Structure formats: C-alpha cells, structure tokens
Amino acid sequence: MLSVKDMGILIDCQAISKAYSGKKLFDGLCLTIEEENRTGLIGPNGSGKSTLLRILAGLMDADEGEIVTRKGLRVSAAFQEGDKEIPADQSVEAFLREAVEPLEWQDYEKEAAVDQAVKRFGFRDREKLASELSGGWRKRLTLAAAIAARPDLLILDEPTNHLDLEAVLELETILSEQDGSFIVVTHDRAFLQAISNRIIELSPRYPSGYLSVSGSFADFLRIREEKLSEQANLEQSLASKVRREIAWLSRGARARQTKSSHRIEEAGKLKEDLETTRSRNRQTQLDVSFQSSGRRSKELVNARGIEKSLSGRMLFADLDLLITSRTRLGIVGRNGCGKTTLLKALTGEIDCDRGSIKRAEGLKIVWFEQDRSSLDLDGTLKHALAGDNDTVSYRGRSMHITSWARKLLFETEKLPLTLGNLSGGEQARVLIARLMLQEADVLILDEPTNDLDIPTLEVLEDSLTEFPGAVILVSHDRMLLDTVCQEVLALTGNGPAEFFAGYSQFEPEIPRFFRDSETERGESKRKTGKPRRERSGLTAPERRDLESLPGRIETAELALAALEEKMMEPEIASDFSRLSTIAAEQESLKKELESLYERWQELEAKALT
C-alpha cells in the first residue's frame, strides 16, 4: 500500500465531519491536499470553510473521520480572526523573527527570511511597533510571518480582506512565486483566477459535499455549470420514474400481486432519491434591491477645485467631480490615501480646505460603512433588522420580521442571537438590509465586499447595476469595480488624482500609479496643477451646451411627470381622444429626453479626452 509520502499527498481526509451548535457544517467529507496544489477554497457563508482550514492546520479536531498527514509536514497559517494577536509593543522585525525562530535553520537563513519578508511586504520601518500599524498593515504583517516560515503547506483565510488594491496585487505576485502548496479561502474572484490551479467549493448542493476542479477559476465556473445541469437533468429523470411507479402502485392490489415486493421497495427508494436531489438543487438566493427616491433632478453633487489636507499631508487637490443620477464611480488608492475623507467631504460630513461643493436640495445619501461601527454587537439580530417592531416597511408594504430575515438568508432561529455571535458575512448582510430600507439618491459603499461570499457578491453586483440613482464604490474587488463602475478615480494620497474610463483602463496604469517614487510623482503633478479630468476637448459652444444640459433635462422630466399625472386623472383616463393626444406628447418628450441624455454623454466623453 502506498504511503501518503509516496503518493505526493500532504494531507488525506477520510470521511471527516464537523458540527457547530448542532448544525452539520460538512459530513463524510473525503478530500486530499497534494504537492503543488494551489487551492482556492470557496463556498457560501456558513459552509465550514474556516473550520475546515483549522482542522487541516491541526488547530481543531474533526468530530468524525480520519486525517492522515505526511510525516514532518510543516504547516503555516494566517486566519481572518487571528489565533495569535500581535502584541502592541512588538516591532515588525521582532514579530517576524518569532515566526521563524522555531525552525531548524541556520541563523543566517532566519535572518534572510526576515529580511525578505520585510522587503516583499513593503515595511519601510522594521522597528515600527504593532500599535502604530493600521489594520491593513497588521494584516500584511500576519501574512508576512506565515509566508516567511516557508511551509510545505500555507493556509490563508480571507487574506485580501482590509488590504488595499496595491497590497492585493503584491500578494498575488508573492503567492505566484511561492514554493510548495497553499490553500486560500477568499471571495475575491480576480484573485482566485490569478493564483489558483485548483478550486474546491464546499456546498451541500453536491452529493459528496464539495466540488473539486483542477484548473483556474474560469475552468471551475464552466465545469460547475455542467455539473449542476447534470443534477437538474437527474431530478427530471427521477421525477419521471417516480410518476410511473406511482401510477403502477395506484392500479391496486391486483397489479401489485403481479410484481415482486422488490419493485415496491425500489419505488420508495426512488422517492427518497428524488427528494434528496430536489433538496440539493433548491437554491436560496439573497434578495437585494435598493430603493431610489425617484428624484427628477440629475445633478446631485458638483465639486469644483476641492482640496483637503490631513496632519500636514495633502490628500487631494484641485479636484473637480460631478455626481449625477447615472454616475457609477469607483474610488481606488492605497490605504490612508484619503478615499473615506473624500466621501465625507462629498456628503458634507467634513469641510474641504479649498474649493466648493454644491449638493442638490434634500439630497438623500445612504452609506455602507467599512468599519461597521454602527452595529451594536451586544444587540440581537432581530433588533438590528427591525428595531423593537415585529415588522419592517419595505417598498411601501409591511413585512413580518421572519419574512424579512428569510429574504436576507437568516434562519428564524438566529433572530435571538447577538450580532457578536454572527459571522462577518452575516454582519455585512445586516448593513445591506439597512441600506435596502432607505430611499437614496446616492449609494456609497465603502469596502462592501469584506466577508461576503461569491453568490452574495453576484447579487450585489446586479442590484447596484440596476439601481437608478448614483453609486460611489470604494473597493479592492477588481471584478466588482469592472462590472459596476463606468469611471474610476485613483487617489495618490499626496494631492494628484486621476480619472479613468473604468477599471479596465486603470489596470495597465497600476504599476506606474503605485510606484514607490511618490514624492517625485507628487511634485511633477503639482506643477501641472489640474488632475487629468480637464475639459480641454470641448469648444466654447460645447462647454456652454454641456453646462445647460442638466437644467434642460430637469425641465423636460418635470414636464413628463406632469403629463403622467394628468393621464391618471379620471376625466382624462376615460376620454380616449384626450388620452391619445397626451400620450403622443408623452412619447415626444421621451424622445427629446433620450436625445438630451445622448448629447450629455457625448459631451462628457469628449470632455475627458
């Protein structure tokens, strides 16, 4: 019999099971982790991904089953909720040295590993204390310590959470160059595509409890669709067989006497198989839809020449920004470059040092916050979703708390639990629920993807795309930015800012944009004065035309709204002749509006050239 070592297998899991609070996370799971596996582990929130990682890392025991590990296997891990907190008084270098100290290496090898980790993860001051590091840099430090140990198997749980785009790209490069195998739990689809040669999805929708595909994330998506299609076909086939057997059984005792009892037993088994397959194929999806205020005016926020400094450092300067009801703006940049500060300035929470910001009267802004500070972790889920009431008002109708919870994929049994006992993904869904209950002209989402699983991300993408108001998105999720945003604003954090026509245009510029020579770039940009979004492509008449368009559009929309109200009047609705005349006027106005929008988009595009 071949040993685990002979087969190139690092860990062999045989029929392992794990339950938490009486709920089975996975049952009878059989899988192997082999040499050169660069595995992305995905699955719905609550499917047991982090728990499985802890079992594989030897930090937790399975309830049942057997796990065989290669003798002498070195495993290093960094978890989303760190098992080992970084002491506040410990320096970057000291923490990294502690990570490699137990290894049977020569002193010079340990020194080299620490030096390499400091350089690769961008720590400019190795003596800096953990207490002085931001959340993103503490995350970098835990990742650096795990990788510095050069394990046979590296285990990372949501490593891209709280990292900025630059850090995510650096981590991609580091993992691509990494020797040995790794398992990464992440919901960042672009990250998965870049680093993985195997995808495992934990989900009860598969007969074995998981689906493993060798190849990229794109390969996985294609094969998953084939597997799910096969399961759907199986359900139809079983349903047909069950119908035939029920028809035979319903013919009565005489018919049954001509057949063996074996067929009756088989009919019962068929019904069980059908119900099991139906249960697997039945998908419950998060139902997200954001409410627009229905505002007619299109110019929501108009910022001219704004500038803001913090602690003596200029974050952005001479910045022009127009937010309309059709805006889909992504904001990117390093952690600390001023993204959240800009959002607060646009909403009026803080003042700019220079420039002007004009906001539409009665502007309704709804904000998804990154730090989740508004959540009362000691309060119950029920209170967070509905306050002291048993119902919520959603889109003008009353909905019972249990129905509202199911809409957000919360089981009724979880309503009495405190938010502190919920997962990060569940807490994020609570914040999304609060957004859904508010009418908005502008939706602001500050890093909304942290802890959300891939199915939820896909639903969020669709709902943001369909929202009729403005969307401002701060995110390191490249696929979300590329899908939702028509324009990307990149902040340097030292004054200059650049606009790009979507993430696809920004991506080739990332190496230049995040180059370390910040001071040189900042000085050269300050000399030029204006950021890239100048209206140099317009003639004087075109500029005047562009400035007049918002008012002309608002006038046309008000006229259209008046016609729609008039058509609802009983005396008009019952008079076919007058109704036809007004309908013709309505159609003419719609065409005029469409023409105005096209002209606006044409001039806006030309203004950016």
Side-chain angles (χ1 to χ4, degrees):
M1 179 177 178
L2 291 175
S3 68
V4 192
K5 184 174 182 180
D6 294 330
M7 297 172 64
I9 294 175
L10 304 180
I11 300 178
D12 185 19
C13 302
Q14 291 296 325
I16 63 171
S17 301
K18 188 68 180 180
Y20 180 72
S21 299
K23 178 186 176 183
K24 282 276 187 182
L25 295 178
F26 42 83
D27 189 19
L29 194 65
C30 298
L31 62 85
T32 58
I33 306 300
E34 302 173 0
E35 293 175 344
E36 304 305 322
N37 274 174
R38 310 169 81 80
T39 305
L41 181 61
I42 63 175
N45 289 136
S47 59
K49 301 183 296 296
S50 296
T51 299
L52 178 59
L53 289 190
R54 293 182 187 279
I55 291 173
L56 296 176
L59 301 175
M60 183 183 291
D61 293 328
D63 296 337
E64 300 173 8
E66 182 182 9
I67 299 177
V68 180
T69 303
R70 174 186 286 185
K71 186 177 180 180
L73 180 71
R74 287 193 297 111
V75 178
S76 183
F79 284 91
Q80 188 176 354
E81 303 295 336
D83 289 296
K84 181 181 178 183
E85 293 294 330
I86 307 172
D89 60 350
Q90 195 169 35
S91 69
V92 168
E93 183 173 8
F95 187 76
L96 293 173
R97 286 188 183 280
E98 191 176 88
V100 300
E101 188 57 38
L103 303 175
E104 296 178 358
W105 292 352
Q106 298 294 326
D107 288 344
Y108 75 89
E109 292 177 301
K110 295 178 182 179
E111 189 72 31
V114 171
D115 288 344
Q116 186 182 41
V118 167
K119 182 178 179 180
R120 292 175 87 184
F121 282 86
F123 292 98
R124 292 191 175 90
D125 183 2
R126 61 173 65 202
E127 296 302 323
K128 198 165 189 175
L129 300 181
S131 58
E132 300 172 332
L133 297 176
S134 67
W137 281 100
R138 283 198 298 272
K139 185 64 173 279
R140 285 194 191 210
L141 186 53
T142 58
L143 294 171
I147 292 173
R150 298 175 190 168
D152 302 313
L153 177 62
L154 176 66
I155 293 177
L156 302 177
D157 186 16
E158 293 289 4
T160 65
N161 272 10
H162 310 296
L163 295 183
D164 57 29
L165 182 56
E166 179 193 23
V168 172
L169 293 171
E170 288 173 349
L171 183 59
E172 269 185 14
T173 301
I174 290 169
L175 290 180
S176 297
E177 298 170 352
Q178 179 78 8
D179 292 328
S181 299
F182 59 72
I183 307 175
V184 176
V185 167
T186 182
H187 300 131
D188 188 323
R189 293 156 291 176
F191 188 73
L192 281 171
Q193 178 67 16
I195 66 165
S196 304
N197 63 15
R198 181 188 185 191
I199 303 292
I200 298 175
E201 182 181 24
L202 287 183
S203 176
R205 68 200 304 190
Y206 306 115
S208 61
Y210 75 98
L211 175 63
S212 176
V213 174
S214 294
S216 67
F217 183 62
D219 295 327
F220 166 80
L221 292 176
R222 175 178 53 79
I223 293 174
R224 180 177 66 175
E225 284 304 308
E226 293 173 359
K227 294 291 184 183
L228 295 179
S229 178
E230 289 173 7
Q231 286 188 192
N233 292 336
L234 175 61
E235 180 181 339
Q236 292 179 358
S237 174
L238 287 171
S240 297
K241 290 180 180 179
V242 167
R243 282 195 297 271
R244 288 197 297 271
E245 293 303 308
I246 290 175
W248 175 77
L249 289 170
S250 65
R251 286 160 57 189
R254 178 172 299 181
R256 291 199 296 272
Q257 288 171 1
T258 64
K259 302 289 183 181
S260 67
S261 59
H262 174 71
R263 182 166 178 180
I264 299 175
E265 293 173 2
E266 283 297 308
K269 185 176 182 303
L270 276 175
K271 291 177 70 176
E272 291 177 5
D273 290 345
L274 175 60
E275 186 53 41
T276 300
T277 304
R278 275 180 176 161
S279 178
R280 287 198 191 104
N281 291 344
R282 193 179 299 123
Q283 297 183 49
T284 305
Q285 193 176 59
L286 184 70
D287 188 359
V288 174
S289 179
F290 299 113
Q291 300 184 71
S292 168
S293 68
R295 176 183 288 273
R296 298 291 178 181
S297 57
K298 293 301 178 183
E299 188 173 302
L300 304 178
V301 181
N302 193 344
R304 293 287 184 180
I306 59 173
E307 179 179 307
K308 184 66 180 177
S309 296
L310 191 65
S311 302
R313 179 167 63 95
M314 187 176 290
L315 298 176
F316 49 85
D318 208 10
L319 176 63
D320 293 344
L321 184 58
L322 176 65
I323 305 298
T324 74
S325 64
R326 295 194 169 193
T327 292
R328 293 291 186 273
L329 177 68
I331 302 179
V332 298
R334 286 176 167 155
N335 287 339
C337 72
K339 299 187 293 292
T340 302
T341 301
L342 175 59
L343 295 179
K344 289 180 177 180
L346 294 175
T347 60
E349 188 174 332
I350 62 173
D351 294 326
C352 287
D353 301 332
R354 290 183 183 176
S356 64
I357 300 179
K358 180 184 176 183
R359 302 174 191 87
E361 186 177 350
L363 186 67
K364 295 181 179 179
I365 298 175
V366 176
W367 190 326
F368 181 105
E369 63 207 20
Q370 180 180 358
D371 61 6
R372 304 178 186 175
S373 58
S374 67
L375 293 180
D376 178 10
L377 299 184
D378 295 324
T380 65
L381 172 60
K382 179 180 182 298
H383 189 271
L385 293 178
D388 296 326
N389 304 311
D390 290 328
T391 61
V392 298
S393 178
Y394 178 64
R395 294 192 173 278
R397 65 186 185 90
S398 180
M399 183 178 294
H400 194 268
I401 180 60
T402 55
S403 299
W404 180 240
R406 284 197 300 271
K407 185 181 183 71
L408 299 158
L409 300 188
F410 288 115
E411 299 163 351
T412 306
E413 295 76 17
K414 286 194 172 183
L415 289 174
L417 296 180
T418 61
L419 296 188
N421 286 320
L422 300 183
S423 69
E426 289 170 325
Q427 291 176 10
R429 293 209 304 272
V430 171
L431 290 176
I432 290 174
R434 291 182 176 179
L435 265 64
M436 291 169 61
L437 292 176
Q438 303 176 64
E439 290 187 347
D441 301 311
V442 182
L443 281 177
I444 295 178
L445 296 100
D446 192 357
E447 295 293 1
T449 63
N450 289 338
D451 305 313
L452 293 181
D453 57 26
I454 290 174
T456 303
L457 283 175
E458 292 170 344
V459 172
L460 181 63
E461 281 178 349
D462 291 340
S463 58
L464 291 177
T465 302
E466 294 168 3
F467 178 65
V471 174
I472 303 177
L473 176 64
V474 175
S475 180
H476 63 260
D477 190 310
R478 288 157 287 171
M479 195 167 288
L480 183 67
L481 286 169
D482 200 35
T483 302
V484 173
C485 298
Q486 300 164 345
E487 190 174 30
V488 166
L489 171 62
L491 301 180
T492 61
N494 55 23
E498 298 184 32
F499 285 87
F500 299 88
Y503 177 79
S504 297
Q505 189 190 70
F506 172 61
E507 188 172 50
E509 299 293 324
I510 288 175
R512 172 187 66 80
F513 194 84
F514 286 132
R515 196 177 300 138
D516 283 338
S517 55
E518 290 179 324
T519 305
E520 293 178 10
R521 291 187 70 246
E523 289 301 322
S524 65
K525 287 286 181 179
R526 287 190 189 97
K527 289 174 185 176
T528 62
K530 283 282 183 185
R532 228 169 75 162
R533 194 189 201 184
E534 296 181 351
R535 299 184 183 272
S536 57
L538 295 178
T539 64
E542 285 173 333
R543 280 198 297 272
R544 289 193 295 271
D545 194 13
L546 179 58
E547 289 170 0
S548 70
L549 276 169
R552 291 159 62 190
I553 288 173
E554 184 173 4
T555 300
E557 287 190 328
L558 289 173
L560 185 61
L563 284 179
E564 290 172 350
E565 290 179 7
K566 197 171 184 180
M567 292 173 73
M568 298 298 293
E569 295 175 5
E571 61 272 20
I572 300 293
S574 59
D575 189 330
F576 179 76
S577 176
R578 294 173 67 187
L579 191 62
S580 299
T581 301
I582 294 174
E585 291 179 34
Q586 182 189 44
E587 188 62 30
S588 175
L589 264 177
K590 285 181 178 179
K591 289 180 179 179
E592 181 184 344
L593 263 176
E594 187 176 340
S595 175
L596 289 171
Y597 277 129
E598 288 176 357
R599 178 62 172 164
W600 195 8
Q601 290 172 352
E602 174 191 341
L603 292 178
E604 281 286 333
K606 188 176 180 181
L608 296 176
T609 60

